[in-house]
Amino acid sequence: MEGAGFRSLIIFLLLAILAFVAGSLASENAVGALAPTAAVLGLFFLIYLGKNCWVLIFIVPPVLNVVELPFLKGFPLAYVVCGIVLFYMLILYMMGYVKIKWNGVLLIDLATLIFCLYFVSTYIRHPVTIKALTSITDYGYADVGGKEYVFLVACMLSYLSLSIVSVKFDTLLKTLKWAFWLAAVPLFFMTVRGLVTGSVTLGDEVSSTRFGAFSGIGLYVFNYVWAKYTLIGIVLSPAKIFILSISVVGILLSGFRSMLIAAAFYSFFMTCIYRQLCVYILMGLAVWGGLVYISHEDEDLVNELPFGIQRAMAVLPGVEVSDKAKNDAQGSSDWRLEMWKWALDPSTGYIKDYVWGDGYGLSLYQERLRTTAISLNLIQGGGNKLFAARGEWHNGAIHLIHRIGYVGLVIVYMWALIVVVFAYKVCCYLRTIEGREYVYVLLVPFFSYLIIVWFLPCDSLNFIRGLYNLALCKLLYLGIKNEYPMLIKGYKIKYTPQIFCDLRPPLQ
């Protein structure tokens, strides 16, 4: 996997991904048109790669997770590929072509086992089926909602595949670098496609609505800049400041306060890793003070900003925005607070079992009644009562309480806390290693879920997807331990003088 062979493989993957994305975006029936091609292409790569098939585990999930294709939504194809590679690796192992061993960290593996077993117990107590698998024999009374369990199985397969792969640490960093840039290509392609085809229009749409066309690539660039450079390094470079400012504008135009808060937490954790938190706090206060001053002194300037930026800035205390943006943001907050009160009130009946949860089932019969009522204007389609009845709380903690109960909330949060602490240590070990930014953009965004789970939209899938990041973190830790043990504080290294190594007789 070195030199020209590795570059040729990456070029093949790049061309395949571009062809797949371009074809799916152009085809009206992407599944029917491209599924056979994708299957043949995948089989070709498995045979072509042979014992080096492990590279797909690191390249496919980051790429497919940023590609917004209709038939990928709600299906964990990225992690299913990891399961296929796992199966293929086991076949090669039985044939004697590869050697596998368990890359284990006892505490992490035990915490993950408890995490998964609790979801299994939830399924046993509240069995559900996938809506696509229902039939006339269910008579319309089936409980659907098995998406979380499908993701759990797929992500667990990715966890297992990463836990048995054997790869050198430097090669792993190089592969993650290629994965990052390969994922950037379809993301950029989809953004440009929306502008060229006219499905995304500038002008009035930017100034008067929430404009999310640039939010994806904006967040992608934002994460990369903060991962690659320190805060002081960004401040001292006009070019870096300009790039970061453009990415922030792309995020703000969407008007999603949750995205702005997630970006703020990401930059916060990055400054913690680079040990520049005091500088970050001082500069953050300076920027906030400047925005407060400008919003009070020059209201016309703020009112002329695009609606999305004003709506996102409404979350900042003391910053004055237009009445339209302020009312829209406040209305959304009140809409959510009302739902949260219903959820925590047992008398409303929205949540039946607060201790163990109600499971992930959604009555197909009740959902059809709601759809009929909406068509007859008996209930409001976008009302918070409808969202509450469907269990869409726009709050991660309440979602977990509803589905897996207080017990599940504690288990999931403790597992996430272990993941974050472990990943934070690994990120600190990587602080002086070249290529660390490609690890940070994968691991650090998960950190924010520890905080936003309490007041922002978040669900079980956000944590279940963390299984992949956790397994990757294990692999990185063991790579550092084996190849760069001096980076691990407190790790004892057995020193052998070079003269003894030179005089040691060769093995017979």
Side-chain angles (χ1 to χ4, degrees), residues 372-380:
T372 303
I374 293 173
S375 64
L376 297 175
N377 292 324
L378 298 178
I379 58 176
Q380 186 178 356

Side-chain angles (χ1 to χ4, degrees), residues 283-297:
M283 295 194 65
L285 290 174
V287 172
W288 170 70
L291 290 174
V292 173
Y293 175 78
I294 292 174
S295 66
H296 285 274
E297 291 295 321

Side-chain angles (χ1 to χ4, degrees), residues 282-331:
L282 291 175
M283 295 194 65
L285 290 174
V287 172
W288 170 70
L291 290 174
V292 173
Y293 175 78
I294 292 174
S295 66
H296 285 274
E297 291 295 321
D298 194 347
E299 295 182 1
D300 293 335
L301 176 63
V302 176
N303 292 338
E304 291 177 359
L305 291 174
F307 175 78
I309 295 180
Q310 294 189 54
R311 191 180 188 279
M313 289 174 56
V315 74
L316 300 175
V319 177
E320 292 294 330
V321 295
S322 65
D323 292 338
K324 178 183 177 182
K326 184 189 301 182
N327 294 335
D328 186 78
Q330 186 61 42

Side-chain angles (χ1 to χ4, degrees), residues 104-137:
V105 178
L106 183 60
L107 176 61
I108 300 300
D109 292 334
L110 286 178
T112 301
L113 180 62
I114 296 173
F115 174 86
C116 294
L117 288 179
Y118 188 80
F119 278 96
V120 172
S121 69
T122 302
Y123 176 78
I124 294 174
R125 288 183 284 106
H126 302 284
V128 294
T129 185
I130 302 174
K131 187 176 181 180
L133 301 180
T134 58
S135 65
I136 58 174
T137 58

Side-chain angles (χ1 to χ4, degrees), residues 13-234:
L13 285 173
L14 175 59
L15 293 175
I17 291 171
L18 286 177
F20 182 78
V21 173
S24 62
L25 292 174
S27 175
E28 295 181 359
N29 185 9
V31 179
L34 296 177
T37 304
V40 173
L41 185 63
L43 181 61
F44 165 76
F45 273 119
L46 282 179
I47 297 174
Y48 173 76
L49 293 173
K51 62 181 181 180
N52 294 318
C53 62
W54 57 266
V55 72
L56 296 176
I57 301 174
F58 300 100
I59 291 181
V60 173
V63 172
L64 290 186
N65 283 335
V66 301
V67 177
E68 297 180 357
L69 299 177
F71 62 93
L72 288 182
K73 188 176 181 180
F75 183 74
L77 179 61
Y79 307 108
V80 170
V81 171
C82 295
I84 296 174
V85 174
L86 172 65
F87 179 73
Y88 185 62
M89 289 177 63
L90 292 176
I91 293 177
L92 294 177
Y93 169 72
M94 291 186 290
M95 297 174 65
Y97 289 109
V98 297
K99 294 181 180 180
I100 61 175
K101 68 172 184 177
W102 182 257
N103 302 314
V105 178
L106 183 60
L107 176 61
I108 300 300
D109 292 334
L110 286 178
T112 301
L113 180 62
I114 296 173
F115 174 86
C116 294
L117 288 179
Y118 188 80
F119 278 96
V120 172
S121 69
T122 302
Y123 176 78
I124 294 174
R125 288 183 284 106
H126 302 284
V128 294
T129 185
I130 302 174
K131 187 176 181 180
L133 301 180
T134 58
S135 65
I136 58 174
T137 58
D138 297 311
Y139 300 103
Y141 294 98
D143 286 338
V144 298
K147 180 173 65 175
E148 287 77 9
Y149 302 113
V150 174
F151 268 85
L152 179 67
V153 173
C155 291
M156 198 60 206
L157 289 175
S158 71
Y159 183 90
L160 295 174
S161 61
L162 286 170
S163 295
I164 67 170
V165 71
S166 179
V167 55
K168 293 183 178 179
F169 182 73
D170 294 337
T171 304
L172 175 58
L173 291 182
K174 183 187 299 184
T175 307
L176 294 178
K177 175 182 178 180
W178 279 104
F180 175 84
W181 291 112
L182 282 173
V185 172
L187 186 61
F188 176 78
F189 175 78
M190 288 186 295
T191 303
V192 173
R193 173 186 176 272
L195 298 175
V196 172
T197 60
S199 59
V200 174
T201 56
L202 302 176
D204 292 338
E205 187 175 348
V206 174
S207 60
S208 60
T209 62
R210 296 162 65 175
F211 186 77
F214 301 128
S215 59
I217 196 168
L219 186 61
Y220 206 74
V221 174
F222 180 89
N223 290 349
Y224 175 75
V225 173
W226 278 101
K228 186 172 180 61
Y229 306 105
T230 63
L231 177 57
I232 295 178
I234 295 173

